[in-house]
Amino acid sequence: QRYFLEVNLQYLAHTAQVVQTISFTNSTGQSLTEIPLVVPPQRLNGAFRLNSLSWADGEPILNYQLRQGLLTIYPDEPLKSNETILLMFSYDLNIPFSQSTFGFSEDQILMDNWYPFIPPYEPDKGWIINEPSTYGEYLAYPLSSFEVLIRVDDPNVIIAAPGDYSALEDGAYYELAQARRFAFALSPKFEQVTQANDNYSVEFFALNGHEPY
């Protein structure tokens, strides 16, 4: 799977507008009459609003169901084994006040489990979609590649995110290959520390007073 996400985030308003494309190849070994997507923020009251859903040619996807954190798409024709499709979305996020990994506090915004994704598939079990749990991780992610463009309306906000990146005037563009998911954090209070040797360079982001040195 490949994920392309463009995020326009308003830091003080705790809102974001997202345009997302998923390139999905059917590697299940069988034809699919439905494609499930897990949408974690949709389980939170008012946190997720789907604005549009379409195929690669721009035609709207009309046959779908969205409820209880699960978006199920029903293609007009079964998706054959090894066939690839593009799914295109636009949606709004209203980031909640929370100490969890998706939410904002007085110091930062944490963005984890924030976008729709296609869960892994196992031949003997089917789609791996677990019920939410209050303890530990319950979501299962397949290995995927990500290209993520993040724009923020406040130039003082620092983005902490994984992967190779290119800095932009109002944000950054990230590429991350063979990862389970893409999570990031934002804060105007972050201190950025870089440590390097002859082979590697590692960046640390910490809130003021919590620097790793």
Side-chain angles (χ1 to χ4, degrees), residues 33-105:
T33 58
E34 59 183 58
I35 303 169
L37 293 97
V38 179
V39 190
Q42 203 262 335
R43 287 186 174 273
L44 305 174
N45 185 32
F48 179 89
R49 183 179 69 184
L50 181 64
N51 295 323
S52 67
L53 177 59
S54 63
W55 303 109
D57 60 2
E59 283 296 314
I61 297 175
L62 302 176
N63 197 7
Y64 71 90
Q65 184 179 63
L66 175 61
R67 65 175 184 175
Q68 297 181 341
L70 186 64
L71 170 63
T72 305
I73 295 174
Y74 304 94
D76 296 333
E77 298 181 1
L79 183 66
K80 298 177 183 178
S81 180
N82 295 319
E83 186 176 359
T84 298
I85 59 167
L86 291 179
L87 304 173
M88 304 174 68
F89 313 77
S90 68
Y91 51 91
D92 295 334
L93 295 175
N94 186 19
I95 302 162
F97 177 78
S98 173
Q99 298 299 320
S100 73
T101 56
F102 175 66
F104 76 89
S105 67

Side-chain angles (χ1 to χ4, degrees), residues 194-212:
T194 301
Q195 296 184 359
N197 59 25
D198 293 339
N199 299 312
Y200 302 101
S201 176
V202 179
E203 291 182 328
F204 299 88
F205 297 85
L207 293 170
N208 293 339
H210 300 274
E211 296 83 359

Side-chain angles (χ1 to χ4, degrees), residues 173-191:
Y173 170 77
Y174 297 86
E175 292 183 90
L176 181 65
Q178 294 298 289
R180 294 293 179 185
R181 64 184 188 257
F182 188 94
F184 65 100
L186 311 98
S187 177
K189 300 180 181 180
F190 277 157
E191 292 288 340

Side-chain angles (χ1 to χ4, degrees), residues 4 14 104 166 180 186 193:
F4 307 87
H14 315 119
F104 76 89
S166 301
R180 294 293 179 185
L186 311 98
V193 179

